[in-house]
Amino acid sequence: MMVLTNDGTQQAALTQPGKSTDKIYYVQVEGKPQEADLAVLRHGVNLKDDPALPAGVEKVADPRTKGDPD
């Protein structure tokens, strides 16, 4: 679902880090990430300004091929 809004209060409730709203991102990477690569994300990473919280990470099949993610 994509939410488009011009309501600042609603936007803040959905996007501010302190609100703990779960979000799902699908990303494409080059190569095949190894379990150690995913473990880094699961434990949190350091960004330029602040550390990022640990994330739920899983491999999913490429929707173009419907193949096994490994």
Side-chain angles (χ1 to χ4, degrees):
M1 169 173 65
M2 180 184 294
V3 178
L4 302 174
T5 182
N6 63 357
D7 180 336
T9 303
Q10 181 70 25
Q11 178 271 334
L14 293 172
T15 61
Q16 294 301 312
K19 300 295 182 180
S20 300
T21 304
D22 289 337
K23 299 168 191 74
I24 298 174
Y25 300 95
Y26 291 93
V27 299
Q28 179 178 346
V29 299
E30 291 186 25
K32 295 185 179 186
Q34 301 301 309
E35 190 57 36
D37 302 320
L38 302 178
V40 171
L41 296 173
R42 290 183 181 120
H43 290 97
V45 295
N46 289 320
L47 302 176
K48 194 183 333 181
D49 298 329
D50 294 306
L53 294 174
V57 178
E58 63 182 83
K59 293 183 197 178
V60 296
D62 183 334
R64 296 169 297 172
T65 63
K66 296 184 173 56
D68 182 14
D70 292 321

